[in-house]
Amino acid sequence: MKHFHQSNMAEIVKPAVDKLNYRSLTLDNGIRITLISDADADKAAAAMDVRVGSLGDPDDLPGLAHFTEHMLFYASEKYPQEDEYSKFVSENGGSTNAYTSSESTNYHFDVNQEHLEGALDRFAQFFISPTISQDGVEREVNAVDSEHGKNLNSDGWKALQLWRHTCNPAHPCHRFSTGNKDTLLTHPKAKGIDSHLRMKDFYHAHYSSNIMCLSVYGSHSLDDLEILVKEKFAAVPNSNHPPANIPRDIVTQAETSKVMKVVPERDGHRVELQWAVPPESKAYKVFPCSYLSHLLGHEGEGSVFALLKKLGWATSLAAGESGNSLSSRSVFMVHVELTDTGHDRLQEVVQIVFAYISMLHAPGGVTQDRFQENKALSELRFRFADKNSPYNYVEKLSSAMQSYEDRDLLLALHNVPQEYDESAIKGVLAELTPANVRIMWSSKLFQGTTSSTEPWYKTPYSLSDIPQSWQSAWTAAADDRLFLPHPNPFIPSSFDLIQEPQQQQPKVISETPMVKIWHRANTSFDTPKAIVYMMFTCPEAYVTPEAAVMTRLFIKLLEDHFNEVAYPATLAGLHYGMLTHPEGFLLWVSGYNHKLMKLAEAVLREVVDFKVEEDRLQVQKDALQKDYSNIKYEQPYQTAMYNQSLLFEAKRWHVHSYEEALLDLTPTHLQAFMPRLLHRCGVECYVTGNYSRAETQQLGQHVEQLLKDELHAKPLFPSQRGEGRIVKLQPGTSALFTQPGSNPSNDNSSIVLTYQVGLDEERSNALVDLLVHCAKRDVFHVLRTQEQLGYLVFLSSWTNLSVHR
């Protein structure tokens, strides 16, 4: 019997370096399928995206779609043993997961390559004959409730629900989406509603093959993969359920031109502007939101963020399509993290945003030349796109298939625009007005001044009209300090690969008393990219809590000062990072090697020329103080793991010590500290990728010359080399540390149980990893599913300062 036909003969457009083979097809029951064949794969994966999500919940059972997702893991008619699917996948080197979004529910797994057929057969039963058993209802409701409880103190979840709560009350987006015990069990039971039967009805009504998209990845040939999916998924029933028609009116005029003042969980001030705009997924060949986000979210000279930062009003800015977007209507947002001064001058902060929007309406704001430059950058990223893990890849592909045509699937997934449409871009731009905006303004300073409470997450807020004086100022906004980006100087033009023997292991190619250079030539992925790590060992960096704080501020100020110069480099595929470490600090750069050294030298120059600017220091001190203060709002398991590190590491300063040290720190202190930090230092560099041995040696010489000639640095004494030490637990002994939760408003608790194995050693490491692999599924199943002791349950191993646990 014929079970499938080709959906179309157009080949999927793929990156130039992509060695995978793809095939698109559609089964007779309507399932759209993308197959990926990777002859070198040792892991296989699959994902199914079902086009129903929380917006499909009935009014009287919020969270039903999410509850259905949980229940499908239980068992099936073909495999009646409880948790058989997860058990099989886990025992064969894989992992499973699922999520429910507004419009889709996505199930996915990976597994060792040779067990793909067995995993697919069990996976397919989710959609053919699941055992939606009454026995599992209360347990899975408790799991959903525990998941919701975990999110109650999350500002991200609070904000998402508040956006929903204040949108059009007649729109399904207005409802509570994740569900809890009250909405799925307690309240329905009181009304005589059988949640189990309603969930089965929901499944049979919505889980129709014609609205499913499947992606399968394996080392099999495409023909063999095709046979597999035909055998496993042809029996998925098709009720010809039409895809949901999501209304466009997520907001109406009654919900716009509003400002919400919100009391968050964490310290800090932030503002987010949102507008409902035409759906981006329907215009994916143009990506109008992406065009505008490139400009409004730019961080180089002349940008909104550069001006706000210069004024001392903001510490970060992001712009673009929001995660709240739907297939019928996108949401465009501008999010700004504010300083104390920026919070006080909120009206002026937003006025600068509208001044930039006004500039985009003027000649030069929307042009084909600017579109072509953005298109070229997107095509460059696509051409040399890095390979994804099978697990992540199938999840992304199955979701994207709901919105994009087969040929354009990968192009759209990588946000590559294909055609210029001025009217589409200006159509989105036209919506970005003061009359259409919704503003969420968050700060703990609003505590005690709000008038309402969001019912599900208990977030205090007030909702009011934007003052007319603000609207008038924003409508007329203009600012000559703003200008559009200059041409990008970091765009590479050479993509040649080095002609050197490939190395399996890195080698030391240069070593002096101060600088040690490791190199590994590697062009196995046919990409003209490289990565450079520079680890600076500085004994002064962590000698006291004050020193640790000043090292952290040094790095934050470097990033702050360098951002405007380096931001165009990030757009051109070059990236950099700076991190503190108990032994010093790490600098890294990565990307296309043609302009990589230009970026690396610029980063090093920042280190050499560092000067403390008093106004920027105050901004970064305030931001760091909030970071330290907000640690008490971490999830309990994060706090427990942090305390565990404090107990084990012989030299680990507590965040309370950092907070105290930060209070009295002045520019003079930091400026005096810098010569001490770099007076004695050692640098270990590692360069790998499309970078030659000779070029790597030149980098090492450049680093040493800068340190010696301009900073007058000297090599480390042998006794100054790093020596991390861990408290040793004696065999047969145990220790118990208990502590009240750091956030009284968080009712969750956590237990972290640690077994210390011993020094980092190859054989014992492998045995511990094997033990974890064999036991992690049972730990999860017993403690979470059966005993219902918590939502977050995991078993893992890791190495800390050369000690395995």
Side-chain angles (χ1 to χ4, degrees):
M1 177 183 290
K2 179 185 174 188
H3 291 294
F4 63 91
H5 62 273
Q6 294 288 353
S7 57
N8 62 61
M9 299 308 294
E11 288 191 7
I12 294 174
V13 178
K14 65 179 187 178
V17 298
D18 190 342
K19 298 177 182 178
L20 308 180
N21 293 310
Y22 298 83
R23 181 175 294 171
S24 299
L25 54 100
T26 303
L27 299 186
D28 276 352
N29 60 5
I31 299 179
R32 270 187 71 196
I33 296 173
T34 297
L35 305 175
I36 308 104
S37 175
D38 178 0
D40 299 324
D42 57 2
K43 282 285 179 104
M48 180 75 89
D49 194 274
V50 186
R51 197 59 163 174
V52 62
S54 61
L55 294 186
D57 289 343
D59 290 335
D60 58 351
L61 276 171
L64 187 60
H66 185 206
F67 178 41
T68 304
E69 170 217 309
H70 276 247
M71 285 294 292
L72 293 195
F73 282 80
Y74 195 74
S76 65
E77 292 179 12
K78 185 172 183 180
Y79 296 99
Q81 182 181 347
E82 182 182 336
D83 206 40
E84 167 63 21
Y85 160 71
S86 297
K87 182 175 184 289
F88 180 88
V89 171
S90 178
E91 288 178 349
N92 291 291
S95 56
T96 67
N97 210 340
Y99 63 82
T100 303
S101 65
S102 294
E103 297 184 69
S104 283
T105 307
N106 193 286
Y107 304 85
H108 42 279
F109 73 87
D110 68 354
V111 71
N112 289 340
Q113 172 56 44
E114 61 271 23
H115 296 287
L116 174 61
E117 182 174 1
L120 271 182
D121 196 46
R122 288 160 176 81
F123 184 59
Q125 305 314 309
F126 278 47
F127 317 104
I128 297 172
S129 58
T131 304
I132 304 175
S133 171
Q134 177 71 52
D135 296 344
V137 168
E138 187 163 356
R139 274 197 338 216
E140 288 310 315
V141 166
N142 286 337
V144 170
D145 190 68
S146 182
E147 183 177 354
H148 173 62
K150 170 185 69 70
N151 299 330
L152 286 174
N153 297 96
S154 163
D155 282 328
W157 281 100
K158 285 171 171 278
L160 176 61
Q161 183 56 35
L162 194 50
W163 284 120
R164 288 173 172 270
H165 182 66
T166 55
C167 77
N168 178 6
H171 196 280
C173 198
H174 178 75
R175 296 187 300 239
F176 174 49
S177 62
T178 57
N180 62 17
K181 191 169 185 176
D182 286 340
T183 69
L184 294 171
L185 199 61
T186 307
H187 294 165
K189 188 179 290 187
K191 298 175 183 177
I193 297 173
D194 187 328
S195 299
H196 175 235
L197 290 178
R198 289 288 297 278
M199 194 269 282
K200 292 176 72 172
D201 291 342
F202 180 89
Y203 173 85
H204 291 298
H206 294 280
Y207 275 61
S208 176
S209 58
N210 68 298
I211 57 171
M212 295 182 182
C213 291
L214 173 69
S215 178
V216 180
Y217 187 115
S219 64
H220 303 66
S221 69
L222 289 174
D223 288 342
D224 287 343
L225 287 173
E226 194 171 286
I227 291 169
L228 265 181
V229 298
K230 174 182 67 175
E231 290 176 349
K232 306 304 180 187
F233 293 92
V236 178
N238 183 5
S239 62
N240 286 310
H241 184 78
N245 184 21
I246 307 300
R248 294 180 68 257
D249 56 348
I250 186 171
V251 292
T252 67
Q253 191 173 357
E255 291 83 43
T256 56
S257 193
K258 303 288 185 185
V259 59
M260 284 180 278
K261 294 181 179 179
V262 181
V263 180
E265 191 80 10
R266 292 171 175 259
D267 294 335
H269 321 290
R270 55 200 57 85
V271 65
E272 184 164 314
L273 287 67
Q274 287 197 356
W275 298 266
V277 300
E280 186 85 339
S281 61
K282 298 289 196 299
Y284 71 84
K285 291 190 177 182
V286 184
F287 280 121
C289 287
S290 182
Y291 178 96
L292 296 173
S293 69
H294 168 72
L295 298 172
L296 276 165
H298 206 280
E299 298 181 16
E301 293 179 323
S303 67
V304 171
F305 178 62
L307 178 54
L308 291 176
K309 190 178 82 168
K310 183 177 181 180
L311 293 169
W313 296 354
T315 57
S316 71
L317 182 147
E321 190 185 11
S322 165
N324 299 347
S325 294
L326 305 175
S327 59
S328 60
R329 200 78 170 143
S330 284
V331 176
F332 191 91
M333 65 87 188
V334 175
H335 180 101
V336 185
E337 293 288 322
L338 301 165
T339 63
D340 293 347
T341 306
H343 172 77
D344 293 338
R345 309 188 74 151
L346 189 279
Q347 185 272 329
E348 294 167 84
V349 169
V350 177
Q351 185 166 320
I352 288 172
V353 174
F354 278 112
Y356 201 95
I357 291 172
S358 176
M359 185 172 64
L360 295 179
H361 282 283
V366 178
T367 68
Q368 186 157 5
D369 286 347
R370 197 168 296 281
F371 174 88
Q372 290 299 334
E373 180 177 325
N374 295 341
K375 180 173 181 283
L377 288 172
S378 299
E379 289 173 340
L380 180 63
R381 288 192 294 270
F382 180 71
R383 177 182 174 187
F384 296 110
D386 294 331
K387 190 175 183 180
N388 286 275
S389 72
Y391 183 78
N392 292 327
Y393 203 30
V394 293
E395 182 270 309
K396 292 177 183 176
L397 284 170
S398 62
S399 175
M401 289 163 67
Q402 297 285 7
S403 302
Y404 310 127
E405 296 175 11
D406 294 335
R407 176 194 176 277
D408 302 323
L409 185 59
L410 301 186
L411 288 167
L413 201 58
H414 288 83
N415 279 75
V416 180
Q418 300 178 58
E419 55 193 41
Y420 178 65
D421 185 338
E422 182 176 332
S423 63
I425 299 171
K426 288 188 172 180
V428 173
L429 184 60
E431 301 288 347
L432 309 187
T433 66
N436 291 341
V437 74
R438 294 203 301 154
I439 297 176
M440 184 180 289
W441 184 10
S442 303
S443 173
K444 283 201 166 179
L445 295 179
F446 296 137
Q447 188 80 51
T449 68
T450 56
S451 57
S452 302
T453 301
E454 191 279 319
W456 299 106
Y457 290 81
K458 309 304 180 187
T459 308
Y461 75 101
S462 291
L463 180 65
S464 60
D465 293 332
I466 295 172
Q468 186 58 51
S469 60
W470 288 18
Q471 285 211 53
S472 299
W474 295 346
T475 301
D479 197 315
D480 59 11
R481 295 170 293 183
L482 300 170
F483 52 87
L484 295 169
H486 298 305
N488 194 326
F490 287 97
I491 297 176
S493 56
S494 173
F495 307 104
D496 296 333
L497 299 179
I498 58 171
Q499 301 301 311
E500 289 190 9
Q502 302 297 290
Q503 299 169 223
Q504 295 302 312
Q505 300 290 335
K507 295 179 180 179
V508 176
I509 61 171
S510 174
E511 185 170 9
T512 70
M514 183 174 284
V515 179
K516 184 176 183 179
I517 305 292
W518 295 78
H519 175 250
R520 182 191 174 206
N522 181 12
T523 57
S524 57
F525 295 104
D526 295 333
T527 57
K529 295 179 181 179
I531 185 165
V532 178
Y533 292 101
M534 293 176 280
M535 178 62 200
F536 286 71
T537 299
C538 307
E540 290 286 332
Y542 203 72
V543 69
T544 64
E546 288 86 355
V549 168
M550 286 191 284
T551 304
R552 179 86 181 271
L553 280 170
F554 162 59
I555 292 300
K556 287 178 73 69
L557 287 166
L558 276 180
E559 291 179 309
D560 181 71
H561 186 265
F562 192 51
N563 187 65
E564 284 181 43
V565 176
Y567 184 77
T570 65
L571 296 178
L574 298 175
H575 305 281
Y576 74 100
M578 307 175 184
L579 297 170
T580 57
H581 186 273
E583 294 180 11
F585 59 93
L586 172 72
L587 306 180
W588 61 268
V589 294
S590 67
Y592 304 108
N593 59 281
H594 181 216
K595 300 289 181 75
L596 191 63
M597 270 312 119
K598 181 177 181 180
L599 180 62
E601 289 171 4
V603 171
L604 289 167
R605 176 52 58 185
E606 287 290 315
V607 174
V608 170
D609 294 342
F610 177 78
K611 294 288 186 295
V612 179
E613 298 175 1
E614 188 168 346
D615 57 336
R616 299 311 303 165
L617 175 61
Q618 188 58 52
V619 168
Q620 294 303 326
K621 273 186 64 178
D622 291 344
L624 191 55
Q625 183 275 323
K626 292 181 176 69
D627 288 345
Y628 291 148
S629 176
N630 283 328
I631 286 179
K632 62 178 173 284
Y633 300 113
E634 298 283 1
Q635 291 284 359
Y637 80 92
Q638 295 170 310
T639 302
M641 295 181 75
Y642 172 71
N643 286 330
Q644 181 193 66
S645 296
L646 288 170
L647 293 168
F648 273 109
E649 294 180 29
K651 189 176 182 181
R652 177 75 179 263
W653 310 124
H654 196 285
V655 67
H656 295 160
S657 302
Y658 294 154
E659 289 182 288
E660 184 177 340
L662 187 62
L663 288 175
D664 300 323
L665 194 147
T666 67
T668 303
H669 291 140
L670 185 55
Q671 195 66 61
F673 173 71
M674 292 312 302
R676 298 202 307 273
L677 178 67
L678 294 167
H679 175 62
R680 292 272 177 188
C681 70
V683 183
E684 196 157 4
C685 296
Y686 174 47
V687 180
T688 185
N690 192 47
Y691 224 76
S692 70
R693 178 188 178 100
E695 291 171 316
T696 302
Q697 287 176 322
Q698 289 176 3
L699 171 66
Q701 293 166 1
H702 183 63
V703 170
E704 186 156 7
Q705 183 180 9
L706 284 175
L707 291 172
K708 286 183 174 180
D709 295 352
E710 302 202 35
L711 293 176
H712 309 295
K714 297 179 181 179
L716 295 172
F717 293 118
S719 60
Q720 290 181 303
R721 296 288 175 183
E723 186 184 51
R725 303 181 69 190
I726 294 288
V727 175
K728 183 179 181 180
L729 296 181
Q730 297 301 319
T733 63
S734 61
L736 175 67
F737 177 76
T738 61
Q739 186 182 48
S742 56
N743 179 10
S745 67
N746 191 329
D747 293 332
N748 295 302
S749 56
S750 176
I751 295 174
V752 175
L753 180 63
T754 298
Y755 295 92
Q756 195 176 73
V757 178
L759 291 175
D760 185 18
E761 185 271 321
E762 192 171 285
R763 185 174 184 277
S764 64
N765 290 356
L767 289 172
V768 171
D769 288 345
L770 179 61
L771 173 64
V772 168
H773 174 72
C774 292
K776 64 182 180 181
R777 177 261 168 194
D778 289 336
V779 168
F780 181 87
H781 183 63
V782 172
L783 296 181
R784 177 188 153 175
T785 306
Q786 293 183 341
E787 300 294 336
Q788 299 277 290
L789 295 178
Y791 178 73
L792 288 171
V793 177
F794 53 88
L795 179 68
S796 61
S797 66
W798 71 96
T799 301
N800 182 241
L801 296 179
S802 299
V803 175
H804 207 69
R805 47 184 168 141

